[in-house]
Amino acid sequence: MTLAEENYLKAIYHLENQSSNDVSTNALAEEMQTKASSVTDMIKKLAEKNMVSYIPYQGVSLSKAGRAYAVKVVRKHRLWEVFLLEKLNFSWDEVHDVAEQLEHIKSEKLTDKLDEFLGFPKVDPHGDPIPDKDGNFEKIDKTSLADAKEGSTYLCVGVDDSSNDFLKYLDANHISLGTTIKIIHKEPFDNSVKIKFNNVELVVSENVAKNLFLTAV
Amino acid sequence: MTLAEENYLKAIYHLENQSSNDVSTNALAEEMQTKASSVTDMIKKLAEKNMVSYIPYQGVSLSKAGRAYAVKVVRKHRLWEVFLLEKLNFSWDEVHDVAEQLEHIKSEKLTDKLDEFLGFPKVDPHGDPIPDKDGNFEKIDKTSLADAKEGSTYLCVGVDDSSNDFLKYLDANHISLGTTIKIIHKEPFDNSVKIKFNNVELVVSENVAKNLFLTAV
DNA sequence: AAGATTATTTAGATTTGTCTAAACTTTTAA
DNA sequence: TTAAAAGTTTAGACAAATCTAAATAATCTT
């Protein structure tokens, strides 16, 4: 598997987890920041390698082998994120770009030794589960802040949008994994949410609310 | 710089350190395990980028920028080797292939944080010096076992041939960095050397002797 | 259900890094 | 001091991954 192929598998995996339909060419092009025609070419190659099943005009979905491969890449990505944050003291918004590179290093031994070195972490710094050596992982039950109940208290367990700007926003406002958040008020007019944490009140936009994941306490 | 370009720079750097002449196309082809014509193509590209100076039929040499770049790659390679050996408990012969991949990760922050995490090591597991952030490193004075004086005692500080087979041979015979070695006898007939370390005597071939580096105690 | 719009694929071109085979330099050796 | 050998470069081709533009299929609209 080349670097480009790995990135496509990861992107398909990601999109499959967002809706239960087959992944469309355009959606994949958007995710990969490339053109639809390039996507068609690559999909055909992956289909030849039996990593995806593909019906022209119908979209693409991962085969068993393709999913297993994608999970391995995801495992590596998330392990490296933990390493960068915990061992090298990277900040939340800095880990992603470097992990994007490190996830392609090919050495099962490296991955497993790294896992061990980190103490077999179950989740990464964004709150996403880390698959184990066999590709198994716990589904973490989380609701977005946008879906949270007024008056209830939650724990921040993850973020969806991994853009630097969003992570910097969270850093700047001192929201991180493990922060306890109480929902003070949900404003129906613009779907903004007033929350309270560390004895500070903050109003966040709908956009932020949708990308911040919580679990009930 | 692409991955291929980085590998060429590193190879040229390596060859420049073995003899003071310009690096020939064939030597580079041998080092890169590729064809001379491919080398010529790549050299031209590197010359365009001012990473090497190149005169057709005369060979190639690194420019200042090229050398600085090569040293950065070498720095990363050697830091990762230390990481793999010290933190992840890889064995001597396993580190090289993985470090070959890791050395291409592009993030100055990662390199410097890794350096710090490892305690700013001065040498890698093969006894080669690790350049600091500014590319400076101490020249380590070492003689090969083949050139060592009969009767003298030395410290093992490095290896030249990084082939797996050689490293496995050393592992199997319990020779590692830091091993104290006394030269018992040099056999003029076949240039083999009888050495003593950890109270064990061992005869090594000329080939081994040439690839094992020592420093006087 | 036909035309318009949107989504997708195909055809042909481009870049990177490689190759083989042929041409050309340089070096070696008679 | 030339002819052969060795070393190097050029020309032309190829695979990977991408692009633009054109063609084709699917879906929406009325």
Side-chain angles (χ1 to χ4, degrees), chain B residues 9 14 22 25 33 47 54 63-64 67 71 74 101 106 116 121 127 145 167 169 178 186 192 195 206 214:
Chain B
L9 289 182
H14 193 220
D22 279 6
T25 302
Q33 296 280 46
Y54 164 59
S63 69
K64 212 161 184 180
R67 181 164 301 103
V71 167
V74 166
Q101 297 178 64
K106 286 177 175 58
E116 186 185 344
L145 173 49
L167 296 171
Y169 168 88
K186 301 179 76 172
S192 66
I195 60 178
E206 178 181 20
L214 310 173

Side-chain angles (χ1 to χ4, degrees), chain A residues 100-113:
Chain A
E100 285 285 297
Q101 298 178 63
L102 287 163
E103 73 188 3
H104 299 291
I105 304 291
K106 287 177 174 57
S107 165
E108 204 157 324
K109 176 153 196 172
L110 172 61
T111 311
D112 296 340
K113 288 270 192 183

Side-chain angles (χ1 to χ4, degrees), chain A residues 2 8 34-35 37-38 41 45 57:
Chain A
T2 67
Y8 271 90
T34 186
K35 298 294 146 110
S37 56
S38 308
D41 287 346
K45 195 151 55 117
Y57 296 102

Side-chain angles (χ1 to χ4, degrees), chain B residues 6-180:
Chain B
E6 288 190 354
N7 282 330
Y8 271 91
L9 289 182
K10 203 179 55 145
I12 298 166
Y13 179 78
H14 193 220
L15 292 172
E16 278 192 347
N17 288 342
Q18 306 208 313
S19 84
S20 52
N21 302 319
D22 279 6
V23 173
S24 76
T25 302
N26 264 2
L28 198 42
E30 166 68 22
E31 178 81 12
M32 293 292 299
Q33 296 280 46
T34 188
K35 299 294 145 110
S37 55
S38 309
V39 170
T40 304
D41 288 346
M42 179 55 91
I43 283 173
K44 283 194 213 155
K45 195 150 55 114
L46 290 173
E48 291 253 312
K49 293 191 176 188
N50 293 311
M51 301 305 271
V52 300
S53 59
Y54 164 59
I55 305 164
Y57 297 100
Q58 303 281 118
V60 72
S61 62
L62 290 171
S63 69
K64 212 161 184 180
R67 181 164 301 103
Y69 200 104
V71 167
K72 279 186 186 179
V73 176
V74 166
R75 164 170 158 81
K76 287 190 277 182
H77 182 100
R78 293 179 181 168
L79 283 173
W80 281 116
E81 286 194 336
V82 173
F83 172 74
L84 294 172
L85 214 99
E86 289 194 358
K87 301 295 181 181
L88 300 195
N89 299 309
F90 273 58
S91 66
W92 216 5
D93 55 296
E94 293 170 324
V95 298
H96 194 263
D97 290 344
V98 182
E100 284 287 295
Q101 297 178 64
L102 286 163
E103 73 189 5
H104 299 291
I105 303 291
K106 286 177 175 58
S107 165
E108 205 158 322
K109 177 154 195 171
L110 173 60
T111 310
D112 295 340
K113 288 271 191 180
L114 180 65
D115 195 13
E116 186 185 344
F117 181 63
L118 298 172
F120 304 105
K122 289 265 192 300
V123 294
D124 79 359
H126 304 104
D128 295 311
I130 300 177
D132 69 13
K133 195 172 161 47
D134 301 317
N136 303 312
F137 56 90
E138 295 164 18
K139 194 170 261 160
I140 287 158
D141 94 293
K142 49 188 183 183
T143 35
S144 82
L145 173 49
D147 298 331
K149 264 219 304 270
E150 208 169 274
S152 296
T153 301
Y154 295 87
L155 205 63
C156 171
V157 294
V159 293
D160 191 29
D161 182 337
S162 301
S163 78
N164 270 10
D165 285 347
F166 182 56
L167 296 171
K168 276 184 185 154
Y169 168 88
L170 293 176
D171 268 351
N173 287 289
H174 307 104
I175 301 173
S176 60
L177 287 197
T179 301
T180 301

Side-chain angles (χ1 to χ4, degrees), chain A residues 84-153:
Chain A
L84 294 172
L85 214 99
E86 288 192 358
K87 302 295 183 183
L88 300 195
N89 298 310
F90 273 59
S91 66
W92 215 4
D93 55 296
E94 293 170 324
V95 297
H96 193 263
D97 291 343
V98 182
E100 285 285 297
Q101 298 178 63
L102 287 163
E103 73 188 3
H104 299 291
I105 304 291
K106 287 177 174 57
S107 165
E108 204 157 324
K109 176 153 196 172
L110 172 61
T111 311
D112 296 340
K113 288 270 192 183
L114 180 65
D115 195 14
E116 187 186 344
F117 180 63
L118 298 172
F120 303 105
K122 289 265 192 300
V123 293
D124 79 359
H126 303 104
D128 295 311
I130 300 178
D132 69 14
K133 193 172 162 45
D134 301 317
N136 302 311
F137 56 90
E138 295 163 19
K139 194 171 260 158
I140 286 158
D141 92 296
K142 50 187 182 183
T143 35
S144 81
L145 174 49
D147 297 331
K149 265 220 305 271
E150 207 171 277
S152 298
T153 302

